[in-house]
mmCIF file of all heavy atoms in Angstrom:
data_model
loop_
_atom_site.group_PDB
_atom_site.id
_atom_site.type_symbol
_atom_site.label_atom_id
_atom_site.label_comp_id
_atom_site.label_asym_id
_atom_site.label_seq_id
_atom_site.Cartn_x
_atom_site.Cartn_y
_atom_site.Cartn_z
ATOM 1 N N SER A 192 54.414 90.207 -0.333
ATOM 2 C CA SER A 192 54.665 91.630 -0.526
ATOM 3 C C SER A 192 53.807 92.224 -1.643
ATOM 4 O O SER A 192 53.685 93.431 -1.738
ATOM 5 C CB SER A 192 56.139 91.869 -0.836
ATOM 6 O OG SER A 192 56.491 91.218 -2.047
ATOM 7 N N GLU A 193 53.194 91.386 -2.485
ATOM 8 C CA GLU A 193 52.393 91.886 -3.594
ATOM 9 C C GLU A 193 50.896 91.763 -3.357
ATOM 10 O O GLU A 193 50.100 92.226 -4.156
ATOM 11 C CB GLU A 193 52.765 91.150 -4.884
ATOM 12 C CG GLU A 193 54.167 91.455 -5.330
ATOM 13 C CD GLU A 193 54.529 90.771 -6.630
ATOM 14 O OE1 GLU A 193 53.611 90.381 -7.374
ATOM 15 O OE2 GLU A 193 55.727 90.632 -6.902
ATOM 16 N N LEU A 194 50.494 91.127 -2.264
ATOM 17 C CA LEU A 194 49.078 90.980 -1.977
ATOM 18 C C LEU A 194 48.498 92.287 -1.470
ATOM 19 O O LEU A 194 49.203 93.121 -0.907
ATOM 20 C CB LEU A 194 48.852 89.882 -0.931
ATOM 21 C CG LEU A 194 49.210 88.464 -1.370
ATOM 22 C CD1 LEU A 194 49.079 87.511 -0.210
ATOM 23 C CD2 LEU A 194 48.354 88.017 -2.526
ATOM 24 N N ASP A 195 47.194 92.459 -1.638
ATOM 25 C CA ASP A 195 46.515 93.654 -1.128
ATOM 26 C C ASP A 195 46.629 93.709 0.385
ATOM 27 O O ASP A 195 46.790 92.698 1.051
ATOM 28 C CB ASP A 195 45.037 93.635 -1.500
ATOM 29 C CG ASP A 195 44.816 93.783 -2.990
ATOM 30 O OD1 ASP A 195 45.683 94.340 -3.681
ATOM 31 O OD2 ASP A 195 43.767 93.338 -3.451
ATOM 32 N N ASP A 196 46.490 94.904 0.943
ATOM 33 C CA ASP A 196 46.544 95.066 2.389
ATOM 34 C C ASP A 196 45.405 94.336 3.087
ATOM 35 O O ASP A 196 45.517 93.966 4.239
ATOM 36 C CB ASP A 196 46.492 96.550 2.764
ATOM 37 C CG ASP A 196 47.769 97.265 2.365
ATOM 38 O OD1 ASP A 196 48.819 96.600 2.268
ATOM 39 O OD2 ASP A 196 47.713 98.486 2.151
ATOM 40 N N ASP A 197 44.294 94.100 2.377
ATOM 41 C CA ASP A 197 43.155 93.401 2.969
ATOM 42 C C ASP A 197 43.420 91.913 3.124
ATOM 43 O O ASP A 197 42.829 91.254 3.960
ATOM 44 C CB ASP A 197 41.907 93.585 2.109
ATOM 45 C CG ASP A 197 41.453 95.025 2.066
ATOM 46 O OD1 ASP A 197 41.815 95.787 2.985
ATOM 47 O OD2 ASP A 197 40.752 95.389 1.122
ATOM 48 N N ALA A 198 44.322 91.386 2.317
ATOM 49 C CA ALA A 198 44.616 89.957 2.358
ATOM 50 C C ALA A 198 45.733 89.713 3.367
ATOM 51 O O ALA A 198 46.299 90.633 3.929
ATOM 52 C CB ALA A 198 45.049 89.476 0.978
ATOM 53 N N GLU A 199 46.041 88.452 3.565
ATOM 54 C CA GLU A 199 47.149 88.127 4.456
ATOM 55 C C GLU A 199 48.424 88.611 3.775
ATOM 56 O O GLU A 199 48.711 88.233 2.648
ATOM 57 C CB GLU A 199 47.225 86.619 4.683
ATOM 58 C CG GLU A 199 46.077 86.094 5.505
ATOM 59 C CD GLU A 199 46.207 84.609 5.753
ATOM 60 O OE1 GLU A 199 47.341 84.104 5.839
ATOM 61 O OE2 GLU A 199 45.179 83.954 5.856
ATOM 62 N N THR A 200 49.187 89.441 4.462
ATOM 63 C CA THR A 200 50.358 90.032 3.827
ATOM 64 C C THR A 200 51.673 89.609 4.450
ATOM 65 O O THR A 200 52.694 90.196 4.174
ATOM 66 C CB THR A 200 50.270 91.572 3.879
ATOM 67 O OG1 THR A 200 50.177 91.965 5.242
ATOM 68 C CG2 THR A 200 49.093 92.084 3.097
ATOM 69 N N SER A 201 51.642 88.605 5.262
ATOM 70 C CA SER A 201 52.913 88.191 5.843
ATOM 71 C C SER A 201 53.037 86.681 5.834
ATOM 72 O O SER A 201 52.056 85.959 5.848
ATOM 73 C CB SER A 201 53.042 88.714 7.272
ATOM 74 O OG SER A 201 52.025 88.189 8.067
ATOM 75 N N VAL A 202 54.249 86.246 5.801
ATOM 76 C CA VAL A 202 54.560 84.828 5.881
ATOM 77 C C VAL A 202 55.346 84.642 7.163
ATOM 78 O O VAL A 202 56.299 85.367 7.422
ATOM 79 C CB VAL A 202 55.408 84.391 4.660
ATOM 80 C CG1 VAL A 202 55.826 82.947 4.808
ATOM 81 C CG2 VAL A 202 54.640 84.618 3.388
ATOM 82 N N GLU A 203 54.934 83.689 7.962
ATOM 83 C CA GLU A 203 55.622 83.468 9.226
ATOM 84 C C GLU A 203 56.910 82.696 8.988
ATOM 85 O O GLU A 203 56.942 81.739 8.233
ATOM 86 C CB GLU A 203 54.725 82.700 10.187
ATOM 87 C CG GLU A 203 53.543 83.508 10.662
ATOM 88 C CD GLU A 203 52.733 82.761 11.692
ATOM 89 O OE1 GLU A 203 53.100 81.623 12.041
ATOM 90 O OE2 GLU A 203 51.738 83.316 12.147
ATOM 91 N N THR A 204 57.968 83.125 9.625
ATOM 92 C CA THR A 204 59.235 82.408 9.579
ATOM 93 C C THR A 204 59.693 82.169 11.005
ATOM 94 O O THR A 204 59.613 83.048 11.850
ATOM 95 C CB THR A 204 60.309 83.216 8.813
ATOM 96 O OG1 THR A 204 60.455 84.475 9.456
ATOM 97 C CG2 THR A 204 59.924 83.412 7.360
ATOM 98 N N ASP A 205 60.167 80.952 11.274
ATOM 99 C CA ASP A 205 60.637 80.625 12.623
ATOM 100 C C ASP A 205 62.055 81.151 12.811
ATOM 101 O O ASP A 205 62.942 80.837 12.041
ATOM 102 C CB ASP A 205 60.626 79.115 12.852
ATOM 103 C CG ASP A 205 59.225 78.576 12.983
ATOM 104 O OD1 ASP A 205 58.354 79.344 13.421
ATOM 105 O OD2 ASP A 205 59.008 77.401 12.641
ATOM 106 N N THR A 206 62.247 81.954 13.839
ATOM 107 C CA THR A 206 63.596 82.408 14.180
ATOM 108 C C THR A 206 64.101 81.676 15.403
ATOM 109 O O THR A 206 65.279 81.662 15.651
ATOM 110 C CB THR A 206 63.620 83.924 14.444
ATOM 111 O OG1 THR A 206 62.705 84.220 15.485
ATOM 112 C CG2 THR A 206 63.256 84.688 13.185
ATOM 113 N N ALA A 207 63.197 81.086 16.151
ATOM 114 C CA ALA A 207 63.549 80.260 17.306
ATOM 115 C C ALA A 207 62.388 79.300 17.492
ATOM 116 O O ALA A 207 61.335 79.457 16.900
ATOM 117 C CB ALA A 207 63.747 81.116 18.542
ATOM 118 N N ALA A 208 62.579 78.298 18.318
ATOM 119 C CA ALA A 208 61.542 77.291 18.503
ATOM 120 C C ALA A 208 60.251 77.896 19.042
ATOM 121 O O ALA A 208 59.164 77.447 18.701
ATOM 122 C CB ALA A 208 62.039 76.204 19.442
ATOM 123 N N THR A 209 60.335 78.900 19.876
ATOM 124 C CA THR A 209 59.137 79.465 20.482
ATOM 125 C C THR A 209 58.801 80.859 19.972
ATOM 126 O O THR A 209 57.768 81.403 20.322
ATOM 127 C CB THR A 209 59.316 79.548 22.006
ATOM 128 O OG1 THR A 209 60.450 80.348 22.299
ATOM 129 C CG2 THR A 209 59.479 78.166 22.603
ATOM 130 N N GLU A 210 59.667 81.448 19.160
ATOM 131 C CA GLU A 210 59.441 82.813 18.710
ATOM 132 C C GLU A 210 59.170 82.834 17.216
ATOM 133 O O GLU A 210 59.885 82.215 16.450
ATOM 134 C CB GLU A 210 60.688 83.657 19.018
ATOM 135 C CG GLU A 210 60.557 85.087 18.566
ATOM 136 C CD GLU A 210 61.845 85.865 18.837
ATOM 137 O OE1 GLU A 210 62.749 85.329 19.485
ATOM 138 O OE2 GLU A 210 61.921 86.992 18.362
ATOM 139 N N LYS A 211 58.115 83.537 16.818
ATOM 140 C CA LYS A 211 57.796 83.673 15.413
ATOM 141 C C LYS A 211 57.844 85.141 15.043
ATOM 142 O O LYS A 211 57.320 85.980 15.758
ATOM 143 C CB LYS A 211 56.422 83.096 15.098
ATOM 144 C CG LYS A 211 56.379 81.596 15.205
ATOM 145 C CD LYS A 211 55.090 81.061 14.697
ATOM 146 C CE LYS A 211 55.113 79.544 14.752
ATOM 147 N NZ LYS A 211 53.915 78.956 14.219
ATOM 148 N N VAL A 212 58.448 85.412 13.935
ATOM 149 C CA VAL A 212 58.549 86.777 13.449
ATOM 150 C C VAL A 212 57.852 86.829 12.104
ATOM 151 O O VAL A 212 58.052 85.964 11.266
ATOM 152 C CB VAL A 212 60.027 87.201 13.300
ATOM 153 C CG1 VAL A 212 60.136 88.588 12.678
ATOM 154 C CG2 VAL A 212 60.734 87.124 14.628
ATOM 155 N N GLU A 213 57.025 87.841 11.906
ATOM 156 C CA GLU A 213 56.341 87.992 10.633
ATOM 157 C C GLU A 213 57.082 89.014 9.787
ATOM 158 O O GLU A 213 57.488 90.050 10.282
ATOM 159 C CB GLU A 213 54.901 88.441 10.848
ATOM 160 C CG GLU A 213 54.049 87.390 11.504
ATOM 161 C CD GLU A 213 52.593 87.785 11.544
ATOM 162 O OE1 GLU A 213 52.226 88.794 10.920
ATOM 163 O OE2 GLU A 213 51.829 87.086 12.197
ATOM 164 N N LYS A 214 57.268 88.677 8.507
ATOM 165 C CA LYS A 214 57.882 89.633 7.597
ATOM 166 C C LYS A 214 57.286 89.441 6.215
ATOM 167 O O LYS A 214 56.812 88.363 5.872
ATOM 168 C CB LYS A 214 59.394 89.470 7.558
ATOM 169 C CG LYS A 214 59.885 88.226 6.856
ATOM 170 C CD LYS A 214 61.388 88.245 6.755
ATOM 171 C CE LYS A 214 61.835 87.147 5.804
ATOM 172 N NZ LYS A 214 63.271 87.207 5.569
ATOM 173 N N LYS A 215 57.308 90.516 5.446
ATOM 174 C CA LYS A 215 56.802 90.428 4.087
ATOM 175 C C LYS A 215 57.825 89.701 3.233
ATOM 176 O O LYS A 215 59.014 89.973 3.305
ATOM 177 C CB LYS A 215 56.525 91.819 3.529
ATOM 178 C CG LYS A 215 55.326 92.469 4.168
ATOM 179 C CD LYS A 215 54.981 93.747 3.463
ATOM 180 C CE LYS A 215 53.712 94.318 4.072
ATOM 181 N NZ LYS A 215 53.275 95.510 3.365
ATOM 182 N N SER A 216 57.345 88.793 2.416
ATOM 183 C CA SER A 216 58.216 88.012 1.563
ATOM 184 C C SER A 216 58.062 88.457 0.115
ATOM 185 O O SER A 216 56.982 88.855 -0.312
ATOM 186 C CB SER A 216 57.855 86.536 1.683
ATOM 187 O OG SER A 216 58.606 85.775 0.758
ATOM 188 N N THR A 217 59.128 88.354 -0.629
ATOM 189 C CA THR A 217 59.072 88.661 -2.058
ATOM 190 C C THR A 217 58.975 87.388 -2.886
ATOM 191 O O THR A 217 59.036 87.449 -4.103
ATOM 192 C CB THR A 217 60.324 89.457 -2.492
ATOM 193 O OG1 THR A 217 61.479 88.677 -2.195
ATOM 194 C CG2 THR A 217 60.392 90.793 -1.774
ATOM 195 N N GLN A 218 58.817 86.254 -2.226
ATOM 196 C CA GLN A 218 58.716 84.977 -2.916
ATOM 197 C C GLN A 218 57.421 84.276 -2.523
ATOM 198 O O GLN A 218 56.873 84.505 -1.455
ATOM 199 C CB GLN A 218 59.896 84.083 -2.553
ATOM 200 C CG GLN A 218 61.225 84.664 -2.970
ATOM 201 C CD GLN A 218 62.379 83.759 -2.568
ATOM 202 O OE1 GLN A 218 62.195 82.724 -1.940
ATOM 203 N NE2 GLN A 218 63.579 84.162 -2.938
ATOM 204 N N ILE A 219 56.966 83.411 -3.414
ATOM 205 C CA ILE A 219 55.817 82.567 -3.100
ATOM 206 C C ILE A 219 56.323 81.468 -2.180
ATOM 207 O O ILE A 219 57.284 80.765 -2.495
ATOM 208 C CB ILE A 219 55.194 81.974 -4.380
ATOM 209 C CG1 ILE A 219 54.616 83.102 -5.232
ATOM 210 C CG2 ILE A 219 54.135 80.938 -4.035
ATOM 211 C CD1 ILE A 219 54.134 82.663 -6.592
ATOM 212 N N ALA A 220 55.696 81.334 -1.030
ATOM 213 C CA ALA A 220 56.152 80.366 -0.029
ATOM 214 C C ALA A 220 55.658 78.958 -0.360
ATOM 215 O O ALA A 220 54.591 78.782 -0.951
ATOM 216 C CB ALA A 220 55.651 80.774 1.355
ATOM 217 N N VAL A 221 56.412 77.972 0.035
ATOM 218 C CA VAL A 221 56.050 76.579 -0.178
ATOM 219 C C VAL A 221 54.710 76.288 0.486
ATOM 220 O O VAL A 221 53.859 75.583 -0.076
ATOM 221 C CB VAL A 221 57.148 75.634 0.362
ATOM 222 C CG1 VAL A 221 56.700 74.185 0.311
ATOM 223 C CG2 VAL A 221 58.436 75.828 -0.414
ATOM 224 N N ASP A 222 54.486 76.846 1.670
ATOM 225 C CA ASP A 222 53.223 76.619 2.375
ATOM 226 C C ASP A 222 52.025 77.167 1.597
ATOM 227 O O ASP A 222 50.926 76.626 1.697
ATOM 228 C CB ASP A 222 53.272 77.239 3.768
ATOM 229 C CG ASP A 222 54.180 76.463 4.708
ATOM 230 O OD1 ASP A 222 54.438 75.269 4.430
ATOM 231 O OD2 ASP A 222 54.632 77.040 5.709
ATOM 232 N N GLN A 223 52.226 78.237 0.833
ATOM 233 C CA GLN A 223 51.139 78.762 0.003
ATOM 234 C C GLN A 223 50.734 77.729 -1.054
ATOM 235 O O GLN A 223 49.550 77.555 -1.326
ATOM 236 C CB GLN A 223 51.562 80.058 -0.697
ATOM 237 C CG GLN A 223 51.673 81.258 0.209
ATOM 238 C CD GLN A 223 52.176 82.464 -0.560
ATOM 239 O OE1 GLN A 223 53.365 82.572 -0.824
ATOM 240 N NE2 GLN A 223 51.267 83.341 -0.917
ATOM 241 N N ILE A 224 51.701 77.063 -1.618
ATOM 242 C CA ILE A 224 51.423 76.052 -2.644
ATOM 243 C C ILE A 224 50.835 74.803 -2.000
ATOM 244 O O ILE A 224 49.885 74.213 -2.513
ATOM 245 C CB ILE A 224 52.692 75.717 -3.448
ATOM 246 C CG1 ILE A 224 53.264 76.980 -4.106
ATOM 247 C CG2 ILE A 224 52.415 74.641 -4.482
ATOM 248 C CD1 ILE A 224 52.297 77.740 -4.988
ATOM 249 N N ARG A 225 51.357 74.408 -0.871
ATOM 250 C CA ARG A 225 50.814 73.235 -0.169
ATOM 251 C C ARG A 225 49.361 73.446 0.219
ATOM 252 O O ARG A 225 48.568 72.509 0.240
ATOM 253 C CB ARG A 225 51.647 72.924 1.069
ATOM 254 C CG ARG A 225 52.983 72.322 0.745
ATOM 255 C CD ARG A 225 53.749 71.970 1.993
ATOM 256 N NE ARG A 225 55.056 71.429 1.627
ATOM 257 C CZ ARG A 225 56.149 71.638 2.304
ATOM 258 N NH1 ARG A 225 56.132 72.336 3.423
ATOM 259 N NH2 ARG A 225 57.292 71.125 1.902
ATOM 260 N N ALA A 226 48.995 74.681 0.535
ATOM 261 C CA ALA A 226 47.614 74.986 0.915
ATOM 262 C C ALA A 226 46.648 74.777 -0.250
ATOM 263 O O ALA A 226 45.439 74.674 -0.044
ATOM 264 C CB ALA A 226 47.519 76.415 1.430
ATOM 265 N N LEU A 227 47.161 74.685 -1.449
ATOM 266 C CA LEU A 227 46.311 74.462 -2.629
ATOM 267 C C LEU A 227 45.970 72.993 -2.851
ATOM 268 O O LEU A 227 45.137 72.677 -3.699
ATOM 269 C CB LEU A 227 47.005 74.990 -3.890
ATOM 270 C CG LEU A 227 47.132 76.483 -4.020
ATOM 271 C CD1 LEU A 227 47.908 76.833 -5.271
ATOM 272 C CD2 LEU A 227 45.770 77.131 -4.051
ATOM 273 N N ASN A 228 46.610 72.085 -2.121
ATOM 274 C CA ASN A 228 46.390 70.654 -2.332
ATOM 275 C C ASN A 228 44.919 70.271 -2.344
ATOM 276 O O ASN A 228 44.447 69.612 -3.267
ATOM 277 C CB ASN A 228 47.124 69.822 -1.282
ATOM 278 C CG ASN A 228 48.476 69.369 -1.753
ATOM 279 O OD1 ASN A 228 48.803 69.463 -2.927
ATOM 280 N ND2 ASN A 228 49.272 68.875 -0.830
ATOM 281 N N ASP A 229 44.190 70.638 -1.315
ATOM 282 C CA ASP A 229 42.770 70.286 -1.250
ATOM 283 C C ASP A 229 41.994 70.926 -2.390
ATOM 284 O O ASP A 229 41.135 70.299 -3.001
ATOM 285 C CB ASP A 229 42.168 70.716 0.090
ATOM 286 C CG ASP A 229 42.706 69.903 1.244
ATOM 287 O OD1 ASP A 229 43.164 68.765 1.011
ATOM 288 O OD2 ASP A 229 42.668 70.401 2.379
ATOM 289 N N PHE A 230 42.295 72.169 -2.685
ATOM 290 C CA PHE A 230 41.610 72.878 -3.761
ATOM 291 C C PHE A 230 41.829 72.195 -5.112
ATOM 292 O O PHE A 230 40.911 72.047 -5.912
ATOM 293 C CB PHE A 230 42.088 74.335 -3.817
ATOM 294 C CG PHE A 230 41.553 75.109 -4.980
ATOM 295 C CD1 PHE A 230 40.222 75.504 -5.011
ATOM 296 C CD2 PHE A 230 42.376 75.462 -6.039
ATOM 297 C CE1 PHE A 230 39.724 76.223 -6.074
ATOM 298 C CE2 PHE A 230 41.881 76.186 -7.100
ATOM 299 C CZ PHE A 230 40.544 76.561 -7.136
ATOM 300 N N MET A 231 43.047 71.770 -5.371
ATOM 301 C CA MET A 231 43.381 71.177 -6.670
ATOM 302 C C MET A 231 42.775 69.786 -6.868
ATOM 303 O O MET A 231 42.636 69.334 -7.993
ATOM 304 C CB MET A 231 44.900 71.104 -6.838
ATOM 305 C CG MET A 231 45.568 72.470 -6.874
ATOM 306 S SD MET A 231 44.946 73.544 -8.177
ATOM 307 C CE MET A 231 45.471 72.659 -9.615
ATOM 308 N N THR A 232 42.407 69.098 -5.801
ATOM 309 C CA THR A 232 41.826 67.768 -5.948
ATOM 310 C C THR A 232 40.310 67.807 -6.120
ATOM 311 O O THR A 232 39.705 66.771 -6.361
ATOM 312 C CB THR A 232 42.182 66.884 -4.741
ATOM 313 O OG1 THR A 232 41.696 67.498 -3.549
ATOM 314 C CG2 THR A 232 43.691 66.684 -4.638
ATOM 315 N N LEU A 233 39.730 68.980 -5.989
ATOM 316 C CA LEU A 233 38.294 69.116 -6.175
ATOM 317 C C LEU A 233 37.946 69.358 -7.638
ATOM 318 O O LEU A 233 38.746 69.899 -8.387
ATOM 319 C CB LEU A 233 37.764 70.299 -5.340
ATOM 320 C CG LEU A 233 37.932 70.224 -3.850
ATOM 321 C CD1 LEU A 233 37.488 71.538 -3.211
ATOM 322 C CD2 LEU A 233 37.141 69.067 -3.281
ATOM 323 N N THR A 234 36.729 68.988 -8.018
ATOM 324 C CA THR A 234 36.255 69.335 -9.357
ATOM 325 C C THR A 234 35.681 70.759 -9.301
ATOM 326 O O THR A 234 35.435 71.296 -8.237
ATOM 327 C CB THR A 234 35.171 68.358 -9.842
ATOM 328 O OG1 THR A 234 34.090 68.381 -8.915
ATOM 329 C CG2 THR A 234 35.721 66.948 -9.968
ATOM 330 N N SER A 235 35.443 71.304 -10.452
ATOM 331 C CA SER A 235 34.907 72.666 -10.536
ATOM 332 C C SER A 235 33.544 72.737 -9.854
ATOM 333 O O SER A 235 32.740 71.811 -9.938
ATOM 334 C CB SER A 235 34.760 73.053 -12.009
ATOM 335 O OG SER A 235 34.129 74.296 -12.116
#
């Protein structure tokens, strides 16, 4: 909910096995942090 409109502004949440609903989140999602794994293991 705080990212610019140009950036990805939604976090996907599963409401059913085959249906995905996108909504703006007010929290940092676990998947956002997990996506940093590769970045954090690299050197500058």
